[in-house]
Amino acid sequence: MNGLWSRVGVRALSVAVLAAGLIAGVYLGQDQGAEPIGDTVASAAQADLDMQLLKQHEAQHAVARAWKREAEGNAAAKAAAAAKAAAGKAHKLETAVIAEKKAAEKRKKEQESSGPVAYTGPIPTSCNEYSGSREIGCALMLDKGFPIAEFPCLDKLWKHESGWNYKAENKSSGAYGIPQALPGRKMASAGSDWKTNPATQIKWGLGYVKGRYDSPCGAWSFFQNNGHY
């Protein structure tokens, strides 16, 4: 009986020693800074979550950059298309302006080469002895209020100046037309067709004569004394 209890006591003592050793090891591990198993698992899970969030942020940034590049590309394409369209419209407008200018120059040359603009006003019987621009000059002088007796003075004045030629041009001074207006474009105040219409030139010339010399004979007298009027 004593031997049996001795064996049981030995075994119990062994188990107690073993348990004490395990408990001491656990405490020793805690004292040396070892992490508990639960904390290790939690740390691994947090690291995996952080990695997933980082990858998600990188993907979002990549998508944003792609959208920005696409938007910039679309804007550049639209700007290029708008510039091309504007250039096309400008070219068409320039072409139309050039064409109109050429057409106007052609019409002008045709008018100048086709002869004087025909006079459609009345011709008094007292002017029937004259013809061409002289006949028109006589009629317009009477219409201006001068008596027929003034016409010989006007006839001599403009015969000397231009020979009553509506295209007469002084190359050195630039004087032009029947009254030799200087410069010729002054006669535009009487009509835009001043280069090709004898009546327009005569109307301007009669206004100049009346305003400066009172009458054709006054202008002719001044011319005789000074060589110009």
Side-chain angles (χ1 to χ4, degrees):
M1 188 68 176
N2 292 333
L4 176 61
W5 278 107
S6 297
R7 288 193 294 273
V8 171
V10 171
R11 289 179 181 176
L13 180 62
S14 299
V15 170
V17 172
L18 179 61
L22 289 174
I23 293 171
V26 169
Y27 279 105
L28 182 61
Q30 289 178 350
D31 292 341
Q32 292 177 353
E35 294 183 359
I37 295 174
D39 291 345
T40 302
V41 172
S43 298
Q46 183 63 42
D48 184 59
L49 179 60
D50 291 343
M51 183 60 68
Q52 291 180 7
L53 290 174
L54 178 61
K55 290 181 179 179
Q56 183 178 359
H57 289 163
E58 290 179 349
Q60 290 174 349
H61 286 308
V63 171
R65 289 193 296 270
W67 275 106
K68 182 179 179 181
R69 286 194 297 270
E70 183 177 357
E72 290 174 347
N74 291 337
K78 289 181 180 179
K84 185 177 180 181
K89 290 181 180 179
H91 178 70
K92 289 181 179 179
L93 179 60
E94 183 181 6
T95 301
V97 170
I98 292 174
E100 177 58 29
K101 185 177 180 180
K102 288 182 178 180
E105 290 176 352
K106 183 179 179 181
R107 290 192 297 268
K108 183 178 178 181
K109 288 181 179 179
E110 288 176 350
Q111 289 176 354
E112 291 177 354
S113 62
S114 62
V117 176
Y119 181 70
T120 58
I123 302 293
T125 55
S126 55
C127 296
N128 286 341
E129 61 179 295
Y130 307 108
S131 61
S133 295
R134 296 170 71 212
E135 183 181 46
I136 298 171
C138 177
L140 292 176
M141 188 198 74
L142 295 177
D143 185 64
K144 190 72 173 175
F146 297 114
I148 190 64
E150 289 284 330
F151 188 71
C153 293
L154 186 67
D155 187 24
K156 293 174 184 177
L157 178 65
W158 285 349
K159 188 179 290 183
H160 181 84
E161 286 291 292
S162 63
W164 288 88
N165 179 5
Y166 74 96
K167 291 194 294 185
E169 183 177 6
N170 187 319
K171 298 294 184 181
S172 60
S173 68
Y176 187 86
I178 294 171
Q180 286 294 280
L182 180 64
R185 63 176 177 273
K186 282 184 176 181
M187 294 184 289
S189 61
S192 60
D193 57 352
W194 60 272
K195 273 195 171 184
T196 58
N197 194 335
T200 299
Q201 296 180 0
I202 292 169
K203 288 177 182 178
W204 181 89
L206 287 169
Y208 175 80
V209 165
K210 184 174 183 178
R212 189 158 186 174
Y213 305 103
D214 294 329
S215 67
C217 287
W220 174 238
S221 177
F222 184 89
F223 181 88
Q224 287 179 304
N225 294 326
N226 298 278
H228 63 87
Y229 82 108

